[in-house]
Amino acid sequence: TERTLSIIKPDATRRNLTGKINAKFEDAGLRIVAQKRIQLTKAQAGEFYKVHAERPFYDELCEFMASEPVVVQVLEGEGAIAKNREVMGATNPADADSGTIRAEFAESVGENSVHGSDAPETAKDEISFFFADLEIV
Ligand code: ATP
Ligand code: MG
């Protein structure tokens, strides 16, 4: 089985959507094997999203991710990385398939409720960014 790193972003924690989003993951067969609510500093958000450092939205993205608490979690299951991205839907909620988290909950392309790792290598790095091995059960 595979693991992926998920973040419930500030726009979603602010609107009390953690439970509804977790239900979508669980209904899709993903198991939440680690979870915590934290507030990132802007520097930590910048480090996490450093692959996007040259993108025009980088500063706005880091401000947003540090603006309020997030819920970081590890999801586990068969093909968890792809399955999670399927449940999340397209980055821009206007393009997201109906029934996906972003179609139902996202406010804009920036404030789009969830993050999910995009490949096995990034999943490994992103999980260890937030969690020690012993915290994942
Ligand atoms: P994530 O990495 O958060 O799971 P993603 O892989 O669908 O989302 P990326 O292209 O990796 O999308 O972009 C990372 C994040 O940057 C997006 O989720 C969104 O919050 C923000 N972002 C992406 N494109 C834009 C944009 N054009 N304007 C503002 N913010 C954007
Ligand atoms: Mg991405």
Side-chain angles (χ1 to χ4, degrees):
T1 71
E2 193 172 66
R3 286 174 173 174
T4 191
L5 190 278
S6 166
I7 305 178
I8 301 179
K9 295 184 179 183
D11 67 282
T13 61
R14 172 169 33 84
R15 288 175 291 146
N16 237 6
L17 293 171
T18 299
K20 284 186 174 141
I21 289 171
N22 280 349
K24 296 257 192 208
F25 294 143
E26 293 185 336
D27 288 348
L30 293 163
R31 183 176 299 277
I32 301 161
V33 294
Q35 176 167 262
K36 59 191 170 190
R37 180 174 156 102
I38 58 174
Q39 183 151 9
L40 295 169
T41 65
K42 192 177 170 188
Q44 288 168 328
E47 175 65 20
F48 181 79
Y49 274 122
K50 65 178 183 241
V51 295
H52 297 307
E54 303 308 319
R55 309 278 283 276
F57 56 80
Y58 179 66
D59 192 65
E60 181 192 336
L61 175 62
C62 297
E63 285 277 356
F64 166 60
M65 291 300 288
S67 65
E68 284 180 85
V70 295
V71 173
V72 295
Q73 47 193 191
V74 179
L75 307 180
E76 185 179 86
E78 210 67 55
I81 296 168
K83 188 174 283 184
N84 178 39
R85 292 183 71 83
E86 209 176 289
V87 176
M88 291 197 301
T91 309
N92 185 342
D95 303 328
D97 290 341
S98 66
T100 63
I101 291 167
R102 283 164 168 167
E104 280 191 30
F105 303 127
E107 302 196 295
S108 65
V109 64
E111 307 207 357
N112 60 2
S113 303
V114 280
H115 163 85
S117 307
D118 58 13
E121 271 314 298
T122 47
K124 191 169 168 288
D125 291 349
E126 291 181 359
I127 288 168
S128 61
F129 188 91
F130 290 110
F131 294 99
D133 285 347
L134 284 170
E135 295 179 298
I136 306 169
V137 292

